[in-house]
């Protein structure tokens, strides 16, 4: 999914003299001896851990404005609102879904559900919730520092979180010949702009009694044999640029911006690498079935590439996956597969639906345009598509007549 919708929209910048500087521009005034610099100040807003944790609860439904990860459990859709929490959508009638509540979880970008237990990140912590009644969630456990890589959420005082960055544009005027002032500002802005963090699509997944999560460099395993009491078991270094996590049977398929990695989880708490498929640097979601892995590559600011394509990889020999065929795309993001039907979110080019019974010759069944798509889950003859302007559901029970069943719109 586009970084704007995947894990985290915030750009955390280096604090310099109490200011966050994103950039500056020199502009001479009428006085030739005067210069101006415009820059942006980000002021952190702090809350104590106790305050943040006390805010975890179900509240009235809210408008969706910055959607992230999508998860389905029974007749409920759980949709992340980046850094804010999770929308609860009653989908008992897919033709008329209802936004019925919102789970407040500050700093939340990822989640996974098993049975009546929901696991979510709260900045650096893992929160375990009983969702037997989604409208009255109950906090069962908070595992501190489970996601140390998200330390940017902490204030300098580790009993607090930075929960918001408030922005203000500012312009200052100074003597043009005061080189030290200008150079100091330019230097500060340059340093600050280096500090950013983002995410991609699914980074949490559950296989049997193990919760797996990935950071940009590690794979973590938590035992959830007691669902309300997750216990950290292991951390496996993966290298850099890790983006997505997809389970299939006793394997994990991990997408990175340099390739796809296959891990054996027959020993659930000690994943071991089986094989890898490397490609040019590109943003990389991945799904798999018994025979093939489907990898979308797209360009983007984090990925430093111009590749926009679908790679189909033969995984018959897991230790040496091999490329079967590449199909050009516009800007592919999330994808899903139900039997031989393959769905690909192709960014501003909408949703593509293929007959994938012959991977060497995909047949385009439908190309639904007119919206910008990011992620899709296909199940039970319904394709749920997260787009820039709403959550769409398509009925594909008749592949010759795929039709829009419903749409929940949200603020742009």
């Amino acid at each position: 999914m586009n970084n704007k919708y995947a894990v985290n929209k915030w750009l955390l910048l280096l604090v310099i003299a109490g200011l966050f500087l994103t950039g500056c521009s020199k502009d001479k005034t009428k006085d030739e001896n005067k210069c101006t610099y415009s820059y942006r100040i980000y002021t952190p807003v702090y809350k104590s851990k106790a305050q943040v944790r006390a805010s975890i609860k179900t509240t009235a439904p809210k408008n969706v404005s910055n959607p992230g990860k999508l998860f389905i459990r029974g007749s409920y859709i759980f949709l992340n609102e980046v850094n804010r929490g999770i929308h609860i959508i009653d989908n008992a009638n897919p033709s008329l879904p209802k936004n019925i509540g919102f789970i407040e979880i500050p700093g939340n970008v990822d989640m996974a559900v098993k049975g009546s237990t929901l696991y979510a990140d709260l900045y650096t912590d893992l929160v375990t919730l009983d969702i037997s009644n989604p409208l009255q969630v109950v906090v069962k456990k908070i595992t501190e520092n489970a996601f140390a890589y998200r330390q940017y959420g902490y204030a300098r005082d580790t009993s607090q979180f930075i929960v918001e960055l408030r922005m203000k544009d500012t312009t200052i005027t100074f003597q043009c010949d005061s080189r030290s002032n200008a150079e100091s500002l330019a230097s500060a802005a340059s340093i600050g702009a280096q500090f950013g963090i983002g995410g991609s699509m699914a980074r949490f997944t559950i296989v049997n009694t193990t919760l797996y999560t990935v950071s940009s460099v590690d794979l973590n395993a938590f035992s959830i044999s007691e669902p309300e009491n997750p216990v950290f078991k292991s951390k496996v270094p993966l290298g850099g640029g890790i983006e997505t996590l997809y389970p299939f049977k006793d394997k994990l398929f991990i997408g990175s911006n340099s390739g796809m990695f296959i891990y054996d989880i027959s020993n659930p708490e000690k994943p071991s690498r089986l094989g890898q498929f490397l490609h040019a640097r590109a943003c990389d979601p991945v799904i798999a079935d018994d025979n093939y892995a489907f990898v979308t590559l797209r360009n983007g600011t984090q990925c430093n590439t111009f590749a926009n394509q679908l790679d189909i990889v033969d995984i018959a020999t897991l230790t040496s996956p091999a490329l079967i065929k590449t199909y050009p795309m516009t800007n592919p993001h999330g994808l899903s597969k139900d039997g031989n039907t393959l769905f690909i979110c192709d960014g501003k080019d909408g949703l593509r639906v293929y007959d994938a019974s012959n991977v060497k010759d995909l047949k385009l069944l439908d190309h639904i345009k007119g919206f910008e798509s990011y992620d899709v889950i296909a199940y039970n003859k319904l394709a749920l598509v997260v787009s820039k302007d709403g959550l769409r559901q398509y009925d594909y029970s008749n592949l010759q007549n795929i039709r829009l069943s419903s749409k929940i719109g949200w603020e742009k």
Side-chain angles (χ1 to χ4, degrees):
M1 185 179 290
N2 187 295
N3 290 332
K4 179 180 178 183
Y5 295 89
V7 192
N8 194 333
K9 253 182 102 174
W10 287 2
L11 179 65
L12 184 70
L13 305 179
L14 182 66
V15 181
I16 301 173
L19 303 181
F20 290 80
L21 304 181
T22 62
C24 55
S25 58
K26 183 177 178 180
D27 184 22
K28 286 195 174 185
T29 65
K30 291 180 180 179
D31 184 345
E32 290 298 319
N33 292 320
K34 298 288 185 180
C35 287
T36 63
Y37 265 83
S38 296
Y39 58 95
R40 184 164 289 170
I41 302 173
Y42 286 88
T43 304
V45 178
Y46 300 91
K47 282 189 179 179
S48 70
K49 286 185 180 181
Q51 285 178 299
V52 171
R53 292 170 181 173
S55 69
I56 303 172
K57 60 183 180 295
T58 306
T59 62
K62 296 186 177 182
N63 291 331
V64 181
S65 59
N66 188 18
K69 309 299 171 62
L70 183 68
F71 208 96
I72 300 169
R73 177 214 172 214
S75 61
Y76 291 106
I77 298 170
F78 296 94
L79 177 66
N80 166 246
E81 180 76 26
V82 176
N83 278 318
R84 303 297 182 189
I86 299 170
H87 299 277
I88 307 168
I89 299 170
D90 182 348
N91 201 42
N93 180 358
S95 298
L96 193 64
K98 298 176 182 178
N99 188 349
I100 61 173
F102 185 74
I103 307 172
E104 301 273 1
I105 309 176
N108 170 245
V109 292
D110 283 290
M111 64 179 144
V113 179
K114 182 178 182 182
S116 59
T117 306
L118 183 147
Y119 306 91
D121 56 345
L122 181 153
Y123 297 115
T124 57
D125 299 342
L126 172 66
V127 60
T128 303
L129 300 176
D130 181 343
I131 57 169
S132 299
N133 179 357
L135 298 182
Q136 292 182 338
V137 299
V138 179
V139 178
K140 304 305 291 187
K141 183 178 181 180
I142 291 179
T143 306
E144 288 200 345
N145 209 32
F147 312 112
Y149 60 91
R150 290 195 64 191
Q151 285 291 348
Y152 67 92
Y154 273 119
R156 290 180 179 181
D157 176 354
T158 56
S159 67
Q160 296 181 315
F161 288 115
I162 297 172
V163 297
E164 185 181 352
L165 298 178
R166 290 182 180 164
M167 182 184 75
K168 180 181 179 182
D169 289 329
T170 304
T171 299
I172 64 171
T173 303
F174 57 92
Q175 291 295 121
C176 288
D177 57 1
S178 179
R179 182 175 298 178
S180 60
N181 286 344
E183 289 179 348
S184 295
L185 283 169
S187 175
S190 174
I191 294 172
Q194 296 174 26
F195 288 78
I197 187 166
S200 188
M201 283 168 275
R203 301 174 76 93
F204 278 34
T205 194
I206 294 172
V207 180
N208 299 322
T209 59
T210 306
L211 167 68
Y212 297 99
T213 71
V214 290
S215 69
S216 61
V217 295
D218 295 309
L219 169 65
N220 300 287
F222 298 83
S223 170
I224 53 171
S225 54
E226 298 178 36
E228 296 178 353
N229 182 34
V231 177
F232 174 75
K233 290 297 183 180
S234 66
K235 181 188 295 291
V236 179
L238 298 174
I242 302 304
E243 296 182 329
T244 61
L245 183 62
Y246 183 84
F248 186 76
K249 296 185 177 179
D250 61 347
K251 306 294 184 294
L252 290 178
F253 294 81
I254 299 172
S256 80
N257 56 30
S258 62
M260 174 192 71
F261 305 101
I262 305 171
Y263 274 75
D264 177 23
I265 51 172
S266 53
N267 183 344
E269 295 173 4
K270 293 184 178 180
S272 59
R273 184 179 292 193
L274 287 173
Q276 64 184 31
F277 167 71
L278 300 180
H279 54 59
R281 184 174 173 84
C283 292
D284 177 17
V286 56
I287 62 172
D289 59 24
D290 282 310
N291 302 304
Y292 304 101
F294 301 80
V295 185
T296 57
L297 284 67
R298 71 182 187 276
N299 61 7
T301 55
Q302 268 189 268
C303 309
N304 299 322
T305 185
F306 295 100
N308 286 289
Q309 63 196 51
L310 168 70
D311 282 353
I312 300 180
V313 181
D314 187 338
I315 54 173
T317 304
L318 291 167
T319 54
S320 55
L323 179 66
I324 293 292
K325 190 165 182 178
T326 292
Y327 294 88
M329 296 283 159
T330 301
N331 191 234
H333 289 63
L335 65 168
S336 187
K337 190 167 179 282
D338 181 7
N340 287 322
T341 308
L342 175 66
F343 299 81
I344 298 178
C345 292
D346 203 7
K348 293 182 179 180
D349 212 15
L351 179 71
R352 297 177 185 268
V353 186
Y354 292 93
D355 177 353
S357 53
N358 179 358
V359 295
K360 294 182 179 179
D361 186 22
L362 295 186
K363 301 295 186 184
L364 184 65
L365 298 173
D366 204 346
H367 186 183
I368 306 168
K369 300 183 180 182
F371 63 97
E372 188 171 350
S373 63
Y374 297 101
D375 200 6
V376 56
I377 296 177
Y379 84 112
N380 198 28
K381 302 305 177 183
L382 279 176
L384 281 74
V385 183
V386 178
S387 66
K388 187 174 183 178
D389 62 348
L391 175 65
R392 290 170 163 81
Q393 297 191 69
Y394 289 93
D395 181 338
Y396 60 93
S397 54
N398 179 357
L399 290 172
Q400 306 306 313
N401 183 29
I402 299 173
R403 61 181 183 84
L404 180 66
S405 178
S406 65
K407 175 190 172 185
I408 297 178
W410 45 62
E411 299 173 356
K412 294 183 181 180

